[in-house]
């Protein structure tokens, strides 16, 4: 279906009805759980629990049905057994509540004929009654800015990144993981079986959404592949679209059918989609977050030549290999640069070519800062990657990690050339305090426009 502007009220609703809410269950992912989330996160709209068997839910007055509500609603969340969903949808049609999120599972994804027929009824009622239905079998619409979160019971930072996911689980996992890197979200939409509204509908909306600058998609199947191709190709002109396609193998395709009832499509078709659409292809949740971060914080590259900083000779060989595989060049630094580095970096056990392999400089914040500035000024370098094992700073003073971080921030924010700077922050993992320091530094660097990654291959892939 083409985008219906009437659905936009569901992203900033003045009133929400939750059908099937009950305090008898403390489940996080049921009607009452959604209501508690909204209240805890400061949702400003009115919330109407709908349940004919109780008088109150989460401290709010409950109503026996949609017809008894004191006013119109912009979104109805349905959390009742699957067999009752068609009846609720008929009531939505009767009262003119057009925007609906069906959380309930048990439809075509169940593999049972009964579920398939129920989903057919959901589609028939929705099309006949003009309902805009998200789902069934999904976590629905999440807008951190307005405190509307079904995914998580805790605050999520608002920001310019949107994520549309056929899987509610992937959305629940991606959002807090990405937030640890300083990524904030405009909208997160889990649409499940996509019986009425599909990924293309949400992509069309987000392409024009002024709050969204980067769009991530997790897809298992799509009802209109040609429309998806055209939308992604057009959207990529102004907003990068990052796509993780599930079900690319026979085993994955079978899993997709049982998860959301989707036909995953042939691998050859999807390979053609990526080559023709300009979508950035990723293959994991972690890589999705890496790409979102890269587009969010890194300035444009002027070329593919990268300077790499690290400590350890064997490591320098493998990082050069990784860079080459991703199409990045690791050029020999200019003679002037090498001479300047040699003036203050001890030559024993050191290479000032590229990668710049100097454990002593990585251990000494002042030397580290000077090394960064010298290499950043070299015209043969388009971008810099610092692969830092933070544990080596433990003997360099109590504020050594902060000083190293400050050096990177000052370069990223003060360098007139604004060459992209990426950081790989590693620890040996045994020291909780060190891991906390890494998390703190990770957030600080991200806020300064530095891409932060867990491994060098992931940084190289993101840069590429």
């Amino acid at each position: 279906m083409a985008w219906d502007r009437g659905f936009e009220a569901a992203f900033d609703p003045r009133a929400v009805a939750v059908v099937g809410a009950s305090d008898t269950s403390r489940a996080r992912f049921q009607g009452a759980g959604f209501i508690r989330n909204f209240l805890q996160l400061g949702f400003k709209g009115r919330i109407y629990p709908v349940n004919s068997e109780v008088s109150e839910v989460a401290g709010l007055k409950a109503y026996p049905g949609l017809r008894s509500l004191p006013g119109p609603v912009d979104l109805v969340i349905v959390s009742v057994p699957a067999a009752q969903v068609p009846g609720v949808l008929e009531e939505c049609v009767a009262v003119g509540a057009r925007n609906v999120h069906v959380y309930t599972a048990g439809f075509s994804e169940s593999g049972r004929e009964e579920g398939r027929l129920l989903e057919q009824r959901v589609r028939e009622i929705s099309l006949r009654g003009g309902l805009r239905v998200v789902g069934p079998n999904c976590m629905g619409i999440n807008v951190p800015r307005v405190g509307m979160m079904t995914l998580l019971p805790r605050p999520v930072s608002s920001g310019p990144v949107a994520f549309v996911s056929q899987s509610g689980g992937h959305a629940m996992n991606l959002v807090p993981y990405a937030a640890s890197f300083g990524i904030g979200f405009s909208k997160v939409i889990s649409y499940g079986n996509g019986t009425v509204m599909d990924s293309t509908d949400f992509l069309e909306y987000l392409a024009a959404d002024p709050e969204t600058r980067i769009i991530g998609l997790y897809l298992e199947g799509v009802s209109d592949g040609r429309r998806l191709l055209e939308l992604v190709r057009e959207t990529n002109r102004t907003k990068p679209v990052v796509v993780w396609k599930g079900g690319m193998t026979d085993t994955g395709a079978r899993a997709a059918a049982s998860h959301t009832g989707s036909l995953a499509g042939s691998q050859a078709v999807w390979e053609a989609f990526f080559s023709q659409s300009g979508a950035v292809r990723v293959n994991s949740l972690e890589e999705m977050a890496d790409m979102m971060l890269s587009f969010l914080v890194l300035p444009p590259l002027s070329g593919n030549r990268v300077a790499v900083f690290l400590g350890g000779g064997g490591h320098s060989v493998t990082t050069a290999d990784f860079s080459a595989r991703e199409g990045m060049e690791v050029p020999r630094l200019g003679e002037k640069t090498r001479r300047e580095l040699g003036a203050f970096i001890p030559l024993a056990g050191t290479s000032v070519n590229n990668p710049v392999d100097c454990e002593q400089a990585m251990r000494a914040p002042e030397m580290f800062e000077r090394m960064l500035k010298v290499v950043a000024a070299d015209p043969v370098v388009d971008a810099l990657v610092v692969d830092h094992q933070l544990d080596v700073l433990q003997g360099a003073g109590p504020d050594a990690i902060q000083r190293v971080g400050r050096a990177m921030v000052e370069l990223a924010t003060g360098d007139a050339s604004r060459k992209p700077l990426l950081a790989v922050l590693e620890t040996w993992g045994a020291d909780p305090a060190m891991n906390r320091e890494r998390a703190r530094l990770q957030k600080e660097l991200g806020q300064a426009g530095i891409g932060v990654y867990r491994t060098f291959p992931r940084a190289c892939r993101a840069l590429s």
Side-chain angles (χ1 to χ4, degrees):
M1 57 182 286
W3 181 255
D4 187 333
R5 294 190 65 87
F7 193 72
E8 294 177 17
F11 291 94
D12 194 358
R14 292 164 297 179
V16 176
V18 183
V19 182
S22 171
D23 272 334
T24 59
S25 171
R26 304 301 296 176
R28 176 174 152 201
F29 300 126
Q30 286 189 6
F34 298 154
I35 291 174
R36 287 192 290 270
N37 284 3
F38 286 20
L39 293 173
Q40 182 177 327
L41 297 174
F43 176 69
K44 301 301 183 186
R46 294 181 295 278
I47 304 173
Y48 300 128
V50 177
N51 189 325
S52 61
E53 299 179 358
V54 298
S55 60
E56 184 178 285
V57 176
L60 300 175
K61 177 183 177 180
Y63 297 84
L66 293 175
R67 290 181 175 87
S68 63
L69 297 182
V73 292
D74 295 312
L75 177 65
V76 177
I77 300 175
V78 181
S79 178
V80 299
Q84 298 177 23
V85 169
V88 175
L89 295 182
E90 293 284 16
E91 192 174 9
C92 288
V93 174
V95 301
R98 299 285 188 253
N99 302 326
V100 186
H101 158 209
V102 180
Y103 162 73
T104 308
F107 295 88
S108 60
E109 84 286 351
S110 68
R112 301 193 306 268
E113 180 67 7
E114 176 187 4
R116 187 184 66 80
L117 293 174
L118 269 176
E119 189 160 329
Q120 284 184 355
R121 286 187 64 194
V122 166
R123 180 172 174 79
E124 183 275 322
I125 294 168
S126 301
L127 295 180
R128 167 171 48 82
L131 301 183
R132 300 173 281 260
V133 173
V134 184
N137 180 31
C138 71
M139 300 302 294
I141 299 167
N142 296 263
V143 186
R145 177 178 57 79
V146 301
M148 189 167 75
M149 292 291 293
T150 59
L151 293 170
L152 298 166
R154 57 181 183 274
V156 172
S157 296
S158 181
V161 177
F163 185 48
V164 179
S165 177
Q166 203 155 359
S167 163
H170 284 329
M172 284 189 283
N173 290 328
L174 175 75
V175 169
Y177 178 79
S180 72
F181 290 87
I183 298 172
F185 290 87
S186 57
K187 280 91 180 175
V188 180
I189 304 163
S190 156
Y191 66 94
N193 294 10
T195 304
V196 179
M197 301 183 76
D198 201 0
S199 58
T200 50
D201 299 297
F202 303 115
L203 178 58
E204 184 176 350
Y205 163 65
L206 294 170
D209 177 29
E211 295 181 347
T212 298
R213 287 199 288 114
I214 301 157
I215 302 169
L217 301 177
Y218 170 74
L219 306 173
E220 291 175 2
V222 63
S223 60
D224 189 340
R226 182 170 295 280
R227 183 171 178 232
L228 178 68
L229 173 64
E230 292 170 352
L231 278 172
V232 172
R233 182 186 285 154
E234 182 61 30
T235 303
N236 264 327
R237 299 177 187 277
T238 54
K239 301 179 182 182
V241 181
V242 185
V243 178
W244 178 15
K245 173 62 179 69
M248 291 289 278
T249 65
D250 290 343
T251 303
R254 289 197 302 272
S258 63
H259 179 216
T260 57
S262 294
L263 297 175
S266 74
Q267 184 165 342
V269 168
W270 282 101
E271 296 287 356
F273 163 78
F274 282 107
S275 68
Q276 295 175 32
S277 68
V280 178
R281 179 177 180 176
V282 299
N283 296 299
S284 69
L285 178 149
E286 293 81 8
E287 200 174 1
M288 173 67 75
D290 287 348
M291 295 304 125
M292 289 174 167
L293 179 68
S294 302
F295 284 116
L296 184 62
V297 305
L298 296 178
L301 278 155
S302 58
N304 70 334
R305 301 168 300 175
V306 60
V308 180
F309 303 86
L310 45 82
H315 201 24
S316 68
V317 175
T318 55
T319 54
D321 286 340
F322 284 128
S323 301
R325 290 191 192 113
E326 291 294 345
M328 305 305 295
E329 182 184 348
V330 184
R332 181 180 174 84
L333 298 176
E335 183 179 349
K336 179 176 180 291
T337 301
R338 286 182 279 119
R339 188 168 58 249
E340 289 185 33
L341 292 174
F344 65 90
I345 295 178
L347 294 180
T350 296
S351 169
V352 293
N353 292 312
N354 193 17
V356 181
D357 175 13
C358 182
E359 186 174 342
Q360 292 185 64
M362 303 298 268
R363 290 175 180 269
E366 297 87 354
M367 194 184 302
F368 173 77
E369 180 179 11
R370 189 174 174 187
M371 176 177 65
L372 283 184
K373 290 179 177 178
V374 169
V375 175
D378 195 320
V380 305
V381 171
D382 300 311
L384 302 91
V385 180
V386 175
D387 190 346
H388 211 306
Q389 177 60 252
L390 296 178
D391 300 85
V392 303
L393 292 166
Q394 286 181 318
D399 62 343
I401 292 179
Q402 289 92 327
R403 287 155 64 199
V404 162
R406 190 159 55 245
M408 289 190 275
V409 169
E410 288 177 358
L411 182 72
T413 57
D415 181 16
S417 66
R418 271 305 268 128
K419 294 177 180 178
L421 175 60
L422 292 78
V424 178
L425 303 180
E426 300 185 64
T427 67
W428 292 322
D431 186 347
M434 184 59 68
N435 288 328
R436 286 194 295 272
E437 277 294 289
R438 181 183 67 180
R440 182 201 60 76
L441 183 58
Q442 177 176 292
K443 202 157 205 176
E444 177 187 341
L445 296 183
Q447 291 170 347
I450 300 171
V452 183
Y453 307 88
R454 293 291 173 85
T455 67
F456 183 84
R458 284 170 56 179
C460 216
R461 165 71 175 137
L463 190 58
S464 174

